[in-house]
Amino acid sequence: MSKKKQQLMQKAIQLAEAVYEYGKGNYKEALELFGPDFDAVHYKMIGASDLQMDVFSEIWYKSLLLTGKSSSAIKVLERRIKQRDGAPFLWRLLEKCYVMEGNTEAAVTACEKAKALESSYFKFD
């Protein structure tokens, strides 16, 4: 196996370990395995689908929250929302971050945005 392929496989194994630790409830270990600058885009080259990349990113965001790193999560989520404004789940996570930070006004705004998106996606007639 080439050196480049070995490096790709090592990253994939590390991602699998991070997801496993998250599933076990070891959020700190999962976050360490993900690393501080995790970006799921790097896993596209090993065959991850867009949906899988979203799941990996969401696990990372939740790991940040569950380990008390809400200010880091806010920065990441605000940047991600600029790319994908229409994702209610991201707005809900951002709302949780703002609540953890004690920013009630921003939490209410994020909640309203999430509700608006959810109602447009999940209309029940």
Side-chain angles (χ1 to χ4, degrees):
M1 190 181 295
S2 73
K3 199 73 150 164
K4 187 175 181 178
K5 223 175 201 179
Q6 286 177 354
Q7 290 173 334
L8 286 174
M9 291 308 295
Q10 184 58 38
K11 287 185 80 149
I13 291 167
Q14 189 170 347
L15 174 63
E17 290 172 351
V19 171
Y20 175 74
E21 291 299 334
Y22 177 86
K24 285 180 26 181
N26 298 329
Y27 308 120
K28 187 175 180 180
E29 290 85 357
L31 191 55
E32 287 176 14
L33 288 163
F34 277 118
D37 299 320
F38 177 78
D39 190 348
V41 169
H42 300 296
Y43 298 92
K44 190 70 171 174
M45 66 184 95
I46 60 171
S49 69
D50 290 341
L51 185 57
Q52 286 170 320
M53 290 188 323
D54 285 345
V55 169
F56 298 146
S57 293
E58 289 167 12
I59 291 172
W60 181 55
Y61 306 146
K62 296 234 9 174
S63 295
L64 286 168
L65 277 175
L66 292 167
T67 56
K69 298 188 183 311
S70 55
S71 59
S72 296
I74 287 171
K75 291 175 191 170
V76 172
L77 287 165
E78 287 176 341
R79 193 170 57 240
R80 184 69 172 141
I81 285 172
K82 285 180 183 175
Q83 297 168 342
R84 285 186 63 189
D85 183 45
F89 182 77
L90 295 177
W91 284 100
R92 288 290 179 197
L93 285 175
L94 188 58
E95 175 190 4
K96 287 180 185 179
C97 291
Y98 287 140
V99 167
M100 288 176 73
E101 292 286 309
N103 190 341
T104 308
E105 187 177 321
V108 168
T109 302
C111 177
E112 289 170 355
K113 180 68 175 181
K115 283 181 184 178
L117 289 168
E118 289 165 351
S119 68
S120 69
Y121 285 127
F122 306 114
K123 287 187 179 181
F124 297 105
D125 295 325

